[in-house]
Amino acid sequence: MATVHSATYDLLRSQGLTTVFGNPGSNELPFLRNFPEDFNYVLGLHEGVVLGMADGFALASGKATLVNLHAAAGTGNAMGALTNAWYSHSPLVLTAGQQARAMVGVESMLTNVDAVQLPRPLVKWSYEPACAEDVPRALSQAIHTANLPARGPVYLSIPHDDWAREVSDDSALLVEREVCSNGLPSAQQLARLAGRLNGAKNPVLVLGPDVDAYQANALAVTLAERLCMPAWVAPSASRCPFPTRHPSFRGVLPAAIAGISAQLEGHDLILVVGAPVFRYHQYAPGTYLPAGAQLIHLTCDAQEAARAPMGDAWIGDIHAMLESLLPLVDQQQRPQPKALPSPQPVSQPEPQASGADWMAPQTLFDLINALAPEDAIYVKESTSTVSAFWQRVEMRHPGSYYFPAAGGLGFGLPAAVGVQLAQPGRRVIGIIGDGSANYAISALWSAAQYRVPVIFIILKNGTYAALRWFSRLLAAENSPGLDVPGLDFCALARGYGVRALEASSPEAFTTAFSQALGMQEPVLIEVATTTIEP
């Protein structure tokens, strides 16, 4: 008869989950015993890094990805990274080793006392099987739940003495299962929606990360051109849903109630596709909608639709909804939006008192835009330079941009490794702030060990620049802990086995970046930069 162990690996193999991201402890060793040769194990030195790499891999591959955590402590270490995975709809299957069943009640060491509750509310489903024989079925449920709309992480706690138990031959039925979702509004609902779009005098499009996740970018462009409307990216966007040099592109909306209302003023219909309505951050109260405007929301997430404070919502598959809607939308005769003017170069700052160079982030982004491959993928976690990046770096291909969806720091370094593993044919460039980098610095070790050719660009300004901006906004400029001086990222990178270069003038960066592009190994470039407003 098959065992829980053999049945589980058969199931994982059939569902394509053959890459495992983990940091093992004693509870996980029985699962990893006799690890199959056709599986890959990617080791991270901290569970936050493990989950961040898996998050990037899942987002870039579009497939459910297996994460193997160590009991309660390992789950706790991963929770910060899990916030980003939850809000980015990342289909992660988190498994955590549990103490032997006979030892759980006495709360022996490494017992996950209330395993099901621990990861909530950041998972779609959390479960610990009541008996060993239920483990394969529960894992099957976890995989399908993670993949069904709206995609998202799930959690399964598995006692370590379950793996050797025998299961019935019926477990083989799990390998043959297929679970599909084809959500789409009715023909009448789509016709009503198209009528409202055709009748709008001055509509505007707001696009979110699920447009990119469902590979509906080209459909969004066609919709914008047919209705002659400008296209904004939703606030705090974790992906790029629209080509940034298209004439309709207007940038990223601010993450504030008043700011969004001001930017969308004058439009009578706001069509939001693949984004929450809305992800606010800065507290700037105002009216949710500008005067005279109505809002329509197309989303794959019923929770996002239900919690929105305004507008009408249609729930379904983003790609299928746009594909079905387009034939019903008339080509309008309004003038097409005019492209935004290209941003002007900024002057190079004066050398520091020490004589060392530094660079304006805008200049750095202009250089990256000029030198990077046109299909480069950017993993961005420099939170104070978001607007400057979107203005200056061209992104024309789907899957070209990833950003921490919940704003939880520590995403950038490990996610860049995971994205590169999932997309070996494209070059991944991680653009990381010096404050953010230290939350997951050990991801450099994984990049070195697996020779993942990411180019990590560290913007070193010695401060939490976004936090400094908020300190002025909140009249809290005298708060402690806003600066991070004395960091040497080149030394840190070399200590983890990554080649490192320092380049803080345009000429030095051009040389270093060109050199890094020619290597098939990870490279870190440290750039001293000035601070700018977010």
Side-chain angles (χ1 to χ4, degrees):
M1 295 182 69
T3 63
V4 171
H5 186 274
S6 64
T8 293
Y9 277 103
D10 287 344
L11 173 63
L12 293 172
R13 187 178 288 109
S14 72
Q15 294 295 326
L17 280 75
T18 56
T19 298
V20 181
F21 293 86
N23 180 274
S26 55
N27 287 358
E28 291 69 49
L29 294 178
F31 164 65
L32 298 173
R33 178 176 176 268
N34 296 328
F35 195 69
E37 292 184 356
D38 58 327
F39 279 63
N40 297 313
Y41 188 87
V42 181
L43 175 64
L45 301 186
H46 182 276
E47 287 88 353
V49 169
V50 167
L51 199 136
M53 290 191 296
D55 191 9
F57 186 88
L59 292 173
S61 67
K63 299 176 181 178
T65 301
L66 187 66
V67 183
N68 191 223
L69 300 174
H70 182 40
T75 301
N77 285 340
M79 287 290 283
L82 187 57
T83 61
N84 291 318
W86 170 253
Y87 283 105
S88 65
H89 294 159
S90 186
L92 298 180
V93 179
L94 278 61
T95 59
Q98 174 65 294
Q99 182 57 275
R101 288 184 181 272
M103 301 284 280
V104 171
V106 297
E107 296 189 15
S108 61
M109 289 183 65
L110 302 181
T111 294
N112 196 341
V113 176
D114 199 347
V116 172
Q117 292 299 324
L118 181 59
R120 289 175 174 166
L122 299 175
V123 291
K124 293 176 65 177
W125 182 67
S126 184
Y127 187 66
E128 183 174 275
C131 62
E133 291 77 9
D134 191 40
V135 169
R137 186 215 58 81
L139 184 60
S140 175
Q141 181 177 350
I143 294 169
H144 294 306
T145 301
N147 276 324
L148 288 170
R151 295 172 183 153
V154 296
Y155 185 81
L156 194 64
S157 172
I158 306 173
H160 72 72
D161 56 340
D162 283 1
W163 295 106
R165 296 287 296 271
E166 292 184 345
V167 293
S168 71
D169 292 340
D170 284 345
S171 64
L173 298 174
L174 297 168
V175 174
E176 303 169 3
R177 296 194 70 220
E178 182 179 3
V179 178
C180 299
S181 173
N182 298 294
L184 190 65
S186 68
Q188 293 80 6
Q189 290 171 323
L190 287 169
R192 191 165 71 250
L193 171 58
R196 293 178 66 179
L197 292 173
N198 290 329
K201 301 298 183 184
N202 187 20
V204 62
L205 186 60
V206 179
L207 300 169
D210 286 325
V211 173
D212 190 56
Y214 282 82
Q215 299 181 339
N217 311 58
L219 296 173
V221 170
T222 301
L223 183 64
E225 292 173 346
R226 192 165 295 178
L227 289 171
C228 307
M229 56 182 171
W232 287 88
V233 173
S236 304
S238 59
R239 303 177 75 146
C240 180
F242 202 84
T244 58
R245 290 292 184 267
H246 190 280
S248 294
F249 180 72
R250 286 298 176 267
V252 182
L253 287 172
I257 295 172
I260 291 175
S261 187
Q263 290 288 0
L264 300 182
E265 188 175 357
H267 294 287
D268 60 338
L269 184 61
I270 302 165
L271 177 61
V272 182
V273 184
V277 179
F278 285 107
R279 292 294 306 284
Y280 304 112
H281 185 192
Q282 175 192 350
Y283 181 60
T287 57
Y288 282 119
L289 289 175
Q294 296 182 343
L295 185 142
I296 292 174
H297 185 198
L298 305 187
T299 178
C300 63
D301 191 329
Q303 291 188 10
E304 288 181 358
R307 72 169 181 260
M310 69 286 199
D312 302 324
W314 277 257
I315 303 167
D317 180 285
I318 298 297
H319 191 282
M321 283 194 290
L322 290 182
E323 193 172 47
S324 300
L325 181 64
L326 276 172
L328 307 177
V329 174
D330 299 332
Q331 177 64 58
Q332 300 298 314
Q333 301 305 310
R334 295 183 288 266
Q336 292 286 351
K338 294 183 179 180
L340 296 175
S342 299
Q344 295 300 308
V346 299
S347 58
Q348 179 67 5
E350 294 296 324
Q352 303 175 53
S354 64
D357 288 326
W358 51 5
M359 201 186 313
Q362 297 95 323
T363 301
L364 176 63
F365 296 152
D366 287 343
L367 290 170
I368 293 172
N369 187 56
L371 298 169
E374 59 94 19
D375 66 344
I377 299 175
Y378 299 97
V379 177
K380 176 77 165 51
E381 195 180 20
S382 169
T383 55
S384 65
T385 63
V386 171
S387 295
F389 178 86
W390 280 91
Q391 291 167 359
R392 294 175 179 274
V393 176
E394 181 175 6
M395 293 176 284
R396 66 182 72 173
H397 297 280
S400 292
Y401 177 81
Y402 299 94
F403 185 84
L409 298 185
F411 170 84
L413 288 176
V417 176
V419 171
Q420 186 71 84
L421 287 170
Q423 295 289 342
R426 297 172 66 182
R427 201 61 185 270
V428 173
I429 301 169
I431 300 175
I432 320 294
D434 52 356
S436 303
N438 283 283
Y439 283 77
I441 192 69
S442 66
L444 295 175
W445 180 90
S446 298
Q449 291 297 309
Y450 299 102
R451 291 186 61 83
V452 184
V454 178
I455 300 175
F456 302 102
I457 301 173
I458 306 294
L459 282 65
K460 190 172 82 168
N461 56 29
T463 187
Y464 292 118
L467 195 58
R468 280 216 167 273
W469 178 76
F470 266 104
S471 75
R472 294 191 293 273
L473 192 71
L474 300 173
E477 294 177 77
N478 61 345
S479 300
L482 302 185
D483 294 324
V484 285
L487 293 169
D488 186 341
F489 285 96
C490 289
L492 289 167
R494 294 181 187 117
Y496 282 114
V498 172
R499 185 186 297 268
L501 305 168
E502 186 176 0
S504 296
S505 70
E507 297 77 17
F509 179 79
T510 297
T511 299
F513 190 54
S514 299
Q515 182 181 350
L517 287 170
M519 298 178 183
Q520 289 303 310
E521 63 178 289
V523 180
L524 181 143
I525 305 174
E526 179 188 294
V527 183
T529 62
T530 57
T531 59
I532 59 175
E533 294 289 321

